[in-house]
Amino acid sequence: RLIEERGEANAAALASALSEKAPLTVRRNALKCDSSEKLARALAAEDVAARVSAGKETRRGAPDALALEGGRPRAGIFGLETYRLGWFEVQDAGSQCVVSAVTQGVEETCSRRGTADAPLKVLDACCGNGGKTLALASRLSRLSSGAREDEAFDDATRGPESYRIDCFDVDARRLRHLAAATRRAGCERFARVVTKLDLRAVASAKLETNKYDAVLVDAPCSSAGALRRFPSLRWEMEEAKTRFRDTEPSRSDDSERRAFGARGVPARRGKTSSTRDEDAPPRFYDDCNQSHLVDGDVASASGRSDRTSVRSFPATQWGILRDAAALVRVGGVLVYATCSVLRSENEDVAARFGGAFR
């Protein structure tokens, strides 16, 4: 597939990179530590060598990233005082770049929206264990407050008017540590777990102010870009699942159609009847169809995962992205991301979405 999409030379280079050991990268929590240099010094005091990334592109997308040069500390991450204080989280630079895409998009639209009369509302739609939720809180706190990059502050001391992050995942087990994580990060007052019923209410809301300023869809995928972190995934990946296959049954529930139709995908021209109804709402909110999905970011290091019943990752991604669009206010931001490097799970899904909503 890599040769098919990128050519032999580029495929070989990428395959080689995916066979290397992944670096251990952390993200500074701007709520608790006011500079990456300060965090590096604090880690050095705990005998952990950390290097602030100097690459222009990395600094643009992951400005708070530091690489732990010696890999995993001897005492373990959880044994570090800087970690217990909430000064940093373990997070890959690529994952941090996804969060930057959300916050940069929000920043670009904030001036047109105005923030004085209502809090920023962001949804982490496939939040998993909440890694990107914590990163969003770190960045949104400064965006909504106007705080300087070198100014340390704690969200717990601020009013509830600045921003809100809603967290949703079809697997409630993955949310069980989120409350403790937000307390340690200092943003527990501004992050909450929502249900599929909450999201259905947002999707059917008549007022744009009830919808989200930004929605992040970090979709379930084949994890083809995460092989260096989870090498055992090589032996459970199935090429057929990275091709688009229509997996949705016909839907005929008019009440659900009315709830989503105003922001849903328009019917194809000349369409009269079909056993596959792209106008139907769906799978994103349907526990029966989605409970098996898992994000590659938290795939088991042993190679065991719950993704074996997925027939088509692109079809699943398309369904989630389509449904998430109904939650975004006019002029808002919708960010789609995966940890796959295959075009069928990225560019092709985005193109399908763009064509349907054009």
Side-chain angles (χ1 to χ4, degrees):
R1 285 296 297 284
L2 295 180
I3 293 174
E4 174 187 316
E5 294 184 351
R6 298 169 181 266
E8 188 169 349
N10 289 333
L14 180 56
S16 178
L18 291 174
S19 298
E20 296 178 1
K21 183 179 179 180
L24 180 55
T25 306
V26 302
R27 174 190 55 77
R28 173 180 66 94
N29 178 15
L31 292 167
K32 295 295 187 73
C33 181
D34 56 24
S35 75
S36 296
E37 290 73 19
K38 181 177 179 179
L39 175 57
R41 291 193 298 269
L43 287 169
E46 297 190 82
D47 296 322
V48 177
R51 173 176 52 83
V52 179
S53 176
K56 179 180 178 182
E57 293 304 312
T58 301
R59 293 293 291 170
R60 181 169 66 91
D64 299 319
L66 291 87
L68 302 192
E69 296 183 319
R72 183 178 180 273
R74 181 174 299 180
I77 292 293
F78 298 154
L80 297 176
E81 181 67 13
T82 43
Y83 179 81
R84 290 196 293 266
L85 291 173
W87 283 28
F88 73 88
E89 302 289 337
V90 177
Q91 187 173 28
D92 186 84
S95 180
Q96 296 181 47
C97 287
V98 171
V99 172
S100 289
V102 178
T103 57
Q104 289 169 14
V106 169
E107 189 171 16
E108 290 172 2
T109 61
C110 262
S111 58
R112 295 194 295 272
R113 168 191 181 274
T115 59
D117 56 346
L120 287 169
K121 292 187 293 186
V122 177
L123 172 67
D124 190 352
C126 305
C127 69
N129 58 2
K132 292 182 178 68
T133 297
L134 299 182
L136 282 166
S138 177
R139 301 298 296 176
L140 285 175
S141 296
R142 299 192 176 279
L143 175 62
S144 61
S145 68
R148 301 189 312 271
E149 285 295 326
D150 60 350
E151 179 184 356
F153 65 97
D154 191 327
D155 255 5
T157 65
R158 302 174 56 212
E161 74 286 347
S162 54
Y163 74 97
R164 188 184 82 208
I165 304 173
D166 287 351
C167 309
F168 175 80
D169 199 278
V170 292
D171 188 351
R173 295 172 300 172
R174 300 171 66 196
L175 298 169
R176 60 187 176 185
H177 300 302
L178 184 60
T182 55
R183 285 195 298 271
R184 185 173 55 81
C187 60
E188 68 271 24
R189 294 175 59 191
F190 300 89
R192 67 172 187 175
V193 174
V194 294
T195 68
K196 65 176 181 179
L197 296 179
D198 294 326
L199 297 185
R200 280 178 171 169
V202 173
S204 60
K206 301 298 183 183
L207 296 177
E208 289 296 313
T209 53
N210 292 334
K211 298 183 185 293
Y212 291 101
D213 296 286
V215 173
L216 168 60
V217 176
D218 185 19
C221 68
S222 68
S223 304
L227 291 177
R228 64 179 186 172
R229 295 201 178 278
F230 306 103
S232 59
L233 287 175
R234 288 167 169 79
W235 288 276
E236 69 172 70
M237 294 175 69
E238 298 180 43
E239 193 272 345
K241 292 183 178 182
T242 64
R243 306 278 187 182
F244 189 92
R245 299 172 63 192
D246 195 349
T247 62
E248 294 187 19
S250 176
R251 299 293 183 91
S252 59
D253 189 332
D254 289 338
S255 63
E256 283 198 339
R257 187 183 305 279
R258 284 194 297 270
F260 289 81
R263 298 288 293 276
V265 180
R268 292 189 292 263
R269 291 182 180 178
K271 178 179 176 181
T272 56
S273 64
S274 173
T275 58
R276 304 296 188 188
D277 190 351
E278 287 189 343
D279 297 328
R283 313 182 48 186
F284 185 64
Y285 307 98
D286 189 343
D287 285 341
C288 295
N289 289 335
Q290 296 295 304
S291 60
H292 57 272
L293 296 179
V294 93
D295 187 345
D297 284 349
V298 292
S300 169
S302 68
R304 180 181 175 275
S305 79
D306 299 321
R307 302 178 301 160
T308 54
S309 58
V310 177
R311 290 185 60 200
S312 169
F313 282 110
T316 295
Q317 292 151 0
W318 154 247
I320 294 174
L321 185 60
R322 175 198 60 194
D323 299 339
L327 306 173
V328 186
R329 68 171 180 83
V330 173
V333 179
L334 176 62
V335 173
Y336 171 73
T338 75
C339 56
S340 173
V341 292
L342 299 178
R343 290 177 182 169
S344 61
E345 297 185 82
N346 294 297
E347 291 91 339
D348 290 353
V349 173
R352 183 181 178 89
F353 175 83
F357 280 77
R358 183 174 299 118

